[in-house]
CSV table of all heavy atoms in Angstrom, one decimal:
chain,number,residue,atom,x,y,z
W,209,LEU,N,0.6,21.9,-3.6
W,209,LEU,CA,1.3,22.9,-4.3
W,209,LEU,C,2.7,23.0,-4.0
W,209,LEU,O,3.1,22.5,-2.9
W,209,LEU,CB,0.6,24.3,-4.0
W,209,LEU,CG,-0.8,24.4,-4.6
W,209,LEU,CD1,-1.5,25.7,-4.0
W,209,LEU,CD2,-0.8,24.5,-6.1
W,216,THR,N,9.1,18.2,3.6
W,216,THR,CA,9.3,18.3,5.0
W,216,THR,C,8.5,17.2,5.7
W,216,THR,O,9.1,16.5,6.6
W,216,THR,CB,8.8,19.7,5.5
W,216,THR,OG1,9.5,20.7,4.8
W,216,THR,CG2,9.1,19.9,7.0
W,239,HIS,N,10.2,11.2,-4.3
W,239,HIS,CA,11.0,10.4,-3.3
W,239,HIS,C,10.1,9.3,-2.8
W,239,HIS,O,8.9,9.5,-2.6
W,239,HIS,CB,11.4,11.3,-2.1
W,239,HIS,CG,12.1,12.6,-2.5
W,239,HIS,ND1,11.6,13.8,-2.1
W,239,HIS,CD2,13.3,12.8,-3.1
W,239,HIS,CE1,12.5,14.7,-2.5
W,239,HIS,NE2,13.5,14.1,-3.1
W,244,ARG,N,7.1,4.5,9.5
W,244,ARG,CA,6.6,3.7,10.6
W,244,ARG,C,5.4,4.3,11.2
W,244,ARG,O,5.2,5.5,11.3
W,244,ARG,CB,7.7,3.7,11.7
W,244,ARG,CG,9.0,3.1,11.3
W,244,ARG,CD,10.1,3.7,12.0
W,244,ARG,NE,11.2,2.7,12.1
W,244,ARG,CZ,11.4,1.9,13.1
W,244,ARG,NH1,10.8,2.0,14.2
W,244,ARG,NH2,12.4,1.0,13.0
W,252,ALA,N,3.8,-1.4,25.1
W,252,ALA,CA,3.2,-2.2,26.3
W,252,ALA,C,3.6,-3.6,26.2
W,252,ALA,O,4.0,-4.3,27.2
W,252,ALA,CB,1.7,-2.0,26.3
W,290,VAL,N,0.2,10.3,-9.5
W,290,VAL,CA,-0.9,10.1,-8.6
W,290,VAL,C,-1.7,8.8,-8.8
W,290,VAL,O,-2.1,8.2,-7.9
W,290,VAL,CB,-1.9,11.4,-8.7
W,290,VAL,CG1,-3.2,11.1,-7.9
W,290,VAL,CG2,-1.2,12.6,-8.1
W,291,ARG,N,-1.8,8.4,-10.1
W,291,ARG,CA,-2.4,7.2,-10.5
W,291,ARG,C,-1.8,6.0,-9.8
W,291,ARG,O,-2.4,5.0,-9.6
W,291,ARG,CB,-2.5,7.0,-12.0
W,291,ARG,CG,-3.6,7.8,-12.6
W,291,ARG,CD,-4.0,7.3,-14.0
W,291,ARG,NE,-4.6,8.5,-14.7
W,291,ARG,CZ,-5.8,9.0,-14.4
W,291,ARG,NH1,-6.6,8.4,-13.4
W,291,ARG,NH2,-6.3,10.0,-15.0
W,326,LEU,N,-11.9,16.5,-12.5
W,326,LEU,CA,-11.9,16.7,-14.0
W,326,LEU,C,-11.2,15.6,-14.7
W,326,LEU,O,-11.6,15.2,-15.8
W,326,LEU,CB,-11.3,18.1,-14.3
W,326,LEU,CG,-12.1,19.3,-14.0
W,326,LEU,CD1,-11.4,20.6,-14.3
W,326,LEU,CD2,-13.5,19.3,-14.7
W,339,LEU,N,-19.5,4.1,-25.5
W,339,LEU,CA,-20.7,3.2,-25.2
W,339,LEU,C,-21.9,3.7,-26.0
W,339,LEU,O,-22.8,2.9,-26.3
W,339,LEU,CB,-21.0,3.2,-23.8
W,339,LEU,CG,-20.0,2.5,-22.9
W,339,LEU,CD1,-20.4,2.6,-21.4
W,339,LEU,CD2,-19.8,1.0,-23.2
W,359,LEU,N,-21.9,7.9,-12.3
W,359,LEU,CA,-20.7,8.4,-11.8
W,359,LEU,C,-20.4,9.8,-12.3
W,359,LEU,O,-19.9,10.7,-11.6
W,359,LEU,CB,-19.5,7.5,-12.1
W,359,LEU,CG,-19.6,6.0,-11.5
W,359,LEU,CD1,-18.4,5.2,-11.9
W,359,LEU,CD2,-19.8,6.1,-10.0
W,362,VAL,N,-22.4,12.2,-10.1
W,362,VAL,CA,-21.7,12.4,-8.8
W,362,VAL,C,-20.6,13.4,-8.9
W,362,VAL,O,-20.6,14.4,-8.1
W,362,VAL,CB,-21.1,11.1,-8.2
W,362,VAL,CG1,-20.2,11.3,-7.0
W,362,VAL,CG2,-22.2,10.1,-7.9
W,373,ASP,N,-21.0,5.0,-3.6
W,373,ASP,CA,-21.6,3.7,-3.3
W,373,ASP,C,-21.4,2.7,-4.4
W,373,ASP,O,-22.4,2.0,-4.8
W,373,ASP,CB,-23.0,3.8,-2.8
W,373,ASP,CG,-23.2,4.7,-1.6
W,373,ASP,OD1,-22.3,4.6,-0.7
W,373,ASP,OD2,-24.2,5.4,-1.5
W,391,LYS,N,-9.6,7.2,-4.7
W,391,LYS,CA,-8.5,6.9,-3.8
W,391,LYS,C,-8.8,7.6,-2.5
W,391,LYS,O,-9.1,8.7,-2.4
W,391,LYS,CB,-7.1,7.4,-4.3
W,391,LYS,CG,-6.7,6.7,-5.6
W,391,LYS,CD,-5.4,7.2,-6.1
W,391,LYS,CE,-5.1,6.8,-7.5
W,391,LYS,NZ,-4.8,5.3,-7.7
W,402,GLY,N,2.4,28.5,16.1
W,402,GLY,CA,1.4,29.4,16.8
W,402,GLY,C,0.0,29.1,16.4
W,402,GLY,O,-0.9,29.0,17.3
W,431,GLY,N,4.7,21.2,10.3
W,431,GLY,CA,5.9,20.5,9.7
W,431,GLY,C,7.2,21.0,10.1
W,431,GLY,O,8.1,20.3,10.6
W,435,TRP,N,10.1,19.5,12.5
W,435,TRP,CA,11.4,19.2,11.9
W,435,TRP,C,12.5,19.7,12.8
W,435,TRP,O,13.5,19.0,13.1
W,435,TRP,CB,11.5,19.8,10.5
W,435,TRP,CG,12.8,19.5,9.9
W,435,TRP,CD1,13.8,20.4,9.5
W,435,TRP,CD2,13.3,18.2,9.4
W,435,TRP,NE1,14.8,19.8,9.0
W,435,TRP,CE2,14.6,18.4,8.9
W,435,TRP,CE3,12.7,17.0,9.5
W,435,TRP,CZ2,15.3,17.4,8.4
W,435,TRP,CZ3,13.5,15.9,9.0
W,435,TRP,CH2,14.8,16.1,8.4
W,436,GLU,N,12.2,20.9,13.4
W,436,GLU,CA,13.2,21.4,14.4
W,436,GLU,C,13.2,20.6,15.6
W,436,GLU,O,14.2,20.3,16.2
W,436,GLU,CB,12.8,22.9,14.7
W,436,GLU,CG,13.2,23.8,13.5
W,436,GLU,CD,12.4,25.1,13.5
W,436,GLU,OE1,11.7,25.5,14.5
W,436,GLU,OE2,12.4,25.8,12.4
W,449,LEU,N,6.2,19.8,22.7
W,449,LEU,CA,4.9,19.5,22.2
W,449,LEU,C,3.9,19.9,23.3
W,449,LEU,O,2.8,20.5,22.9
W,449,LEU,CB,4.8,18.0,21.9
W,449,LEU,CG,5.4,17.5,20.7
W,449,LEU,CD1,5.4,15.9,20.6
W,449,LEU,CD2,4.7,18.0,19.4
W,450,ALA,N,4.2,19.6,24.5
W,450,ALA,CA,3.3,20.0,25.6
W,450,ALA,C,3.0,21.5,25.6
W,450,ALA,O,1.9,22.0,25.9
W,450,ALA,CB,3.8,19.5,26.9
W,467,TYR,N,-2.9,5.5,7.9
W,467,TYR,CA,-3.2,4.1,8.1
W,467,TYR,C,-4.7,3.8,8.1
W,467,TYR,O,-5.1,2.9,7.5
W,467,TYR,CB,-2.5,3.7,9.5
W,467,TYR,CG,-2.2,2.2,9.7
W,467,TYR,CD1,-1.2,1.6,8.9
W,467,TYR,CD2,-2.8,1.5,10.7
W,467,TYR,CE1,-0.8,0.3,9.1
W,467,TYR,CE2,-2.4,0.2,10.9
W,467,TYR,CZ,-1.4,-0.4,10.1
W,467,TYR,OH,-1.1,-1.7,10.3
W,468,ARG,N,-5.4,4.6,8.9
W,468,ARG,CA,-6.9,4.4,9.0
W,468,ARG,C,-7.5,4.7,7.6
W,468,ARG,O,-8.4,4.0,7.2
W,468,ARG,CB,-7.5,5.3,10.0
W,468,ARG,CG,-7.4,4.8,11.5
W,468,ARG,CD,-8.3,5.6,12.4
W,468,ARG,NE,-8.1,7.0,12.4
W,468,ARG,CZ,-7.1,7.6,13.1
W,468,ARG,NH1,-6.4,6.8,14.0
W,468,ARG,NH2,-6.9,8.8,13.1
W,482,GLU,N,10.6,-11.1,19.1
W,482,GLU,CA,10.1,-10.0,18.4
W,482,GLU,C,8.7,-9.7,18.9
W,482,GLU,O,7.9,-10.6,19.0
W,482,GLU,CB,10.1,-10.2,16.9
W,482,GLU,CG,9.8,-8.9,16.1
W,482,GLU,CD,9.8,-9.2,14.6
W,482,GLU,OE1,9.5,-10.3,14.2
W,482,GLU,OE2,10.1,-8.2,13.8
W,483,VAL,N,8.4,-8.4,19.0
W,483,VAL,CA,7.0,-7.9,19.2
W,483,VAL,C,6.8,-7.1,17.9
W,483,VAL,O,7.6,-6.2,17.5
W,483,VAL,CB,6.9,-7.0,20.4
W,483,VAL,CG1,5.7,-6.1,20.4
W,483,VAL,CG2,6.9,-7.9,21.7
W,501,ILE,N,2.6,-13.4,7.5
W,501,ILE,CA,3.9,-13.7,8.2
W,501,ILE,C,4.7,-14.7,7.4
W,501,ILE,O,5.9,-14.5,7.2
W,501,ILE,CB,3.5,-14.4,9.6
W,501,ILE,CG1,2.7,-13.4,10.5
W,501,ILE,CG2,4.8,-14.8,10.3
W,501,ILE,CD1,2.3,-14.0,11.8
W,551,ASN,N,-1.3,-16.1,18.0
W,551,ASN,CA,-0.4,-17.2,17.8
W,551,ASN,C,-1.0,-18.2,16.8
W,551,ASN,O,-2.0,-18.8,17.1
W,551,ASN,CB,-0.1,-17.8,19.2
W,551,ASN,CG,0.9,-18.9,19.1
W,551,ASN,OD1,1.7,-19.0,18.1
W,551,ASN,ND2,0.9,-19.8,20.1
W,556,VAL,N,3.6,-28.0,9.0
W,556,VAL,CA,4.4,-27.8,7.7
W,556,VAL,C,4.6,-29.1,7.0
W,556,VAL,O,4.5,-30.2,7.6
W,556,VAL,CB,5.7,-27.1,8.0
W,556,VAL,CG1,5.6,-25.6,8.0
W,556,VAL,CG2,6.4,-27.6,9.3
Side-chain angles (χ1 to χ4, degrees):
L209 291 171
T216 304
H239 307 118
R244 296 151 152 261
V290 169
R291 279 198 204 288
L326 287 176
L339 293 175
L359 297 184
V362 168
D373 298 322
K391 297 181 192 290
W435 182 245
E436 285 156 15
L449 283 172
Y467 203 65
R468 278 195 302 276
E482 189 181 28
V483 161
I501 300 179
N551 183 17
V556 275

